[in-house]
Amino acid sequence: MTGPAGALLRSGSEDAPLGPAPPGPRLPCGAGRGGLTLPPAAARPRVFARNRDDPGAMWKAAQAVLGTAGILLLLRRSMSTSALLSQKAATLTVTPTIGLADELLDIKGEGLGPRARVTLRASAVSYRGRLFHSLAHYEADGRGGLDLARDPALGGDFTGVEPMGLLWSLTPVGSEDPCFNQMPRGVMKSPLKEEVTVHHAPRQPAVSLGPALASAQVQRWFSSPELRRARLQAGRLRGVFLRPPGDGPFPGLIDMFGDGGLNESRASLLACRGFATLALPFFGYEDLPPIMKDLNLDYFEEAAKYVQSHPKVKGPNIGVIGSGKGAELAFSMASFLPNIAAVVSINGCISNTTTALTCGRFILPGLPFNLDKISAMGSGVYDVKEALEDPLDPAYRESRIPLEKANAHFLVIVGEDDRHWKSSVYADIAVKHLTEHGKTNFTLLSYPNAGHRIDPPYSPFFSVSLDPVLGVPVLGGGQLKAHAVAQIESWKKILEFLHLHLG
């Protein structure tokens, strides 16, 4: 049993009396030890010195002299209590306690009891105040220890060795609206706070968890205090420019999502990893159009020039990363604008969709959705996978983005179970199109059973999202563990790709 500062607490001294002294004459004060009542010498128990060569000698001598069953029982109880109290209390450590959201955590437990069955639970409150949790069951090792990087989960929200499973399996509690995830919009002021607790595993699945044996808290940040953050308000350009500390110059990036508003989460993490990144909204933010209307490439060209000309950016070549509609806009920027050296497309389409895009003298009509192909699910969620018209249909040829004109390197990331639209089909069309034009400047990463919204690693999985155009909840697709793998692995590839092609 441990006390403050790691001190070992013992139940008693090894030289303490084994029991009360037998009755005998009282010696005058000073004749004994402070007037204590001592037995006659013949009946007085001998003092046993510890024999280091024979640890059992003291016990054998005690048996021979004491011989009383009651005293022996008391001795055994004293020794058992001492051993019990000397066991370490349960502890749970999660390191680092404060770190970036894409960092791996080291989660370990001690003092859980040899081969004890325990349940670990993670809880978090989203930026919108919604409660998320996850749990998994484990068995401690022979010394009562647990290491999530070594020990497999035996059940719960996931199985197998998953060091970060408690984080990527976080789901809304109860009837929480599944359309709202916990990814932040503004990330500079507060972290995502999470708590991990360890409990005795319940004997029955339906039994609720008992009190926590130990707990640990962590803070997961999407930025760092050292980042430089500039809000863009001059002219018509809107967004937030984030750059690493120091003199640079740093490789430059533009980051876009397709669901409207300003989202700084990924841009902040990219800035923490060495990229000067502009989080660029194009509708639903400040004085930008509240809904997605016809777009003009001039707006995105202005954003590119801002990044390219920044004194802390290693120009003139920059990169663009986008998800969904943001990915197709990244394709268009690479096809029509100079000095776009690297493009990361996450579940994008190879045609301009929904609204028209004016590119100088050219106008790319929006590939439309066929509302008759939208299926309503029983839960009030809609399946829109089949709704977007076929990009290869000759009737929509003019909507195709001329990727063959681009000099950029492409990293195309798709979730094969994307239910928002047919990302895998679009990626195959893009690869075939580039190959037919003699291009080899592409890499395709295709993840089985991953859905539409592939965020930075360890982000919770959401199979439903709110469509910004239709205004209704739609299926995103994917399976929990497979989607987590896609997020973890693709993030590594994204950073490697951008460092390679932007320097």
Side-chain angles (χ1 to χ4, degrees):
M1 169 173 193
T2 56
L8 182 65
L9 304 183
R10 300 182 182 277
S11 61
S13 170
E14 293 175 342
D15 296 327
L18 300 178
R26 175 178 292 276
L27 298 180
C29 181
R33 297 181 180 179
L36 298 178
T37 302
L38 298 178
R44 193 181 307 159
R46 287 177 288 177
V47 177
F48 305 107
R50 172 175 286 182
N51 188 335
R52 298 184 182 274
D53 297 327
D54 184 4
M58 185 179 77
W59 176 251
K60 295 175 182 177
Q63 279 184 310
V65 175
L66 297 175
T68 304
I71 295 179
L72 291 179
L73 179 60
L74 288 174
L75 179 60
R76 290 192 183 100
R77 287 177 177 173
S78 175
M79 295 178 70
S80 298
T81 302
S82 177
L84 177 64
L85 294 177
S86 67
Q87 291 181 358
K88 294 191 298 183
T91 60
L92 187 67
T93 58
V94 182
T95 54
T97 56
I98 301 176
L100 292 175
D102 63 349
E103 286 187 79
L104 185 70
L105 293 178
D106 184 31
I107 304 176
K108 294 180 179 179
E110 295 290 343
L112 304 176
R115 304 298 174 190
R117 292 293 185 100
V118 296
T119 296
L120 264 65
R121 177 175 180 172
S123 303
V125 178
S126 77
Y127 289 83
R128 294 181 174 90
R130 287 170 166 79
L131 178 64
F132 289 69
H133 70 187
S134 62
L135 60 83
H137 309 301
Y138 292 89
E139 181 181 291
D141 63 20
R143 296 181 298 175
L146 181 66
D147 184 349
L148 267 60
R150 175 198 65 194
D151 301 321
L154 305 178
D157 293 325
F158 57 92
T159 58
V161 178
E162 297 291 344
M164 298 292 286
L166 288 172
L167 271 69
W168 55 250
S169 65
L170 285 167
T171 54
V173 174
S175 60
E176 296 285 4
D177 190 337
C179 295
F180 295 97
N181 63 29
Q182 68 177 100
M183 293 293 290
R185 292 285 178 167
V187 297
M188 301 299 294
K189 295 182 179 179
S190 62
L192 179 66
K193 297 179 180 180
E194 299 176 346
E195 182 180 43
V196 181
T197 55
V198 59
H199 310 254
H200 289 302
R203 295 183 180 274
Q204 301 294 333
V207 178
S208 60
L209 294 176
L213 303 175
S215 65
Q217 291 77 35
V218 295
Q219 296 182 11
R220 306 282 284 175
W221 287 85
F222 286 83
S223 68
S224 71
E226 294 80 17
L227 286 186
R228 304 294 186 264
R229 182 180 185 272
R231 185 176 175 184
L232 275 60
Q233 290 182 304
R236 60 178 176 176
L237 198 59
R238 297 292 179 264
V240 169
F241 186 61
L242 302 126
R243 62 178 177 85
D247 295 330
F250 307 102
L253 273 176
I254 294 175
D255 184 20
M256 296 180 291
F257 288 86
D259 51 2
L262 175 67
N263 191 329
E264 298 180 50
S265 57
R266 186 169 62 196
S268 293
L269 284 177
L270 288 166
C272 290
R273 298 306 177 197
F275 299 94
T277 308
L278 171 59
L280 182 66
F282 50 93
F283 74 97
Y285 176 70
E286 293 187 346
D287 56 353
L288 294 174
I291 60 174
M292 188 162 52
K293 297 181 177 180
D294 290 351
L295 300 170
N296 195 309
L297 197 64
D298 289 348
Y299 177 78
F300 304 95
E301 183 177 18
E302 185 176 339
K305 289 180 177 179
Y306 175 88
V307 176
Q308 290 163 344
S309 62
H310 196 282
K312 300 297 184 181
V313 170
K314 181 183 178 181
N317 291 337
I318 64 170
V320 186
I321 178 172
S323 296
K325 179 68 177 181
E328 75 185 48
L329 287 168
F331 281 152
S332 295
M333 291 177 69
S335 300
F336 290 102
L337 302 180
N339 300 318
I340 305 298
V343 169
V344 178
S345 165
I346 302 175
N347 285 326
C349 184
I350 41 80
S351 290
N352 179 61
T353 65
T354 309
T355 61
L357 176 66
T358 299
C359 308
R361 296 181 295 107
F362 299 96
I363 296 179
L364 301 182
L367 183 67
F369 282 87
N370 186 337
L371 300 183
D372 292 334
K373 295 182 179 179
I374 297 177
S375 302
M377 313 300 289
S379 57
V381 177
Y382 293 85
D383 187 348
V384 300
K385 182 174 182 177
E386 301 294 331
L388 189 64
E389 296 288 5
D390 184 3
L392 296 181
D393 188 330
Y396 305 111
R397 183 186 302 274
E398 293 182 357
S399 298
R400 288 277 299 275
I401 301 170
L403 290 178
E404 71 279 0
K405 295 183 178 181
N407 293 319
H409 294 272
F410 295 103
L411 178 62
V412 181
I413 298 171
V414 297
E416 295 181 9
D417 192 36
D418 184 356
R419 301 294 303 180
H420 188 81
W421 52 25
K422 302 176 182 179
S423 297
S424 292
V425 173
Y426 307 150
D428 290 340
I429 295 173
V431 167
K432 182 180 178 181
H433 184 74
L434 290 170
T435 302
E436 289 174 348
H437 284 81
K439 300 280 189 175
T440 59
N441 55 340
F442 60 85
T443 300
L444 173 61
L445 300 178
S446 186
Y447 293 98
N449 298 318
H452 182 70
R453 184 65 178 259
I454 298 179
D455 285 317
Y458 319 125
S459 300
F461 167 65
F462 295 89
S463 61
V464 177
S465 63
L466 190 66
D467 186 273
V469 176
L470 300 175
V472 297
V474 299
L475 290 177
Q479 298 177 14
L480 177 62
K481 189 169 183 177
H483 195 85
V485 169
Q487 295 190 142
I488 295 169
E489 294 301 322
S490 65
W491 185 248
K492 298 176 186 177
K493 298 296 184 181
I494 288 170
L495 296 179
E496 292 173 0
F497 174 82
L498 293 174
H499 279 297
L500 175 63
H501 295 294
L502 299 179

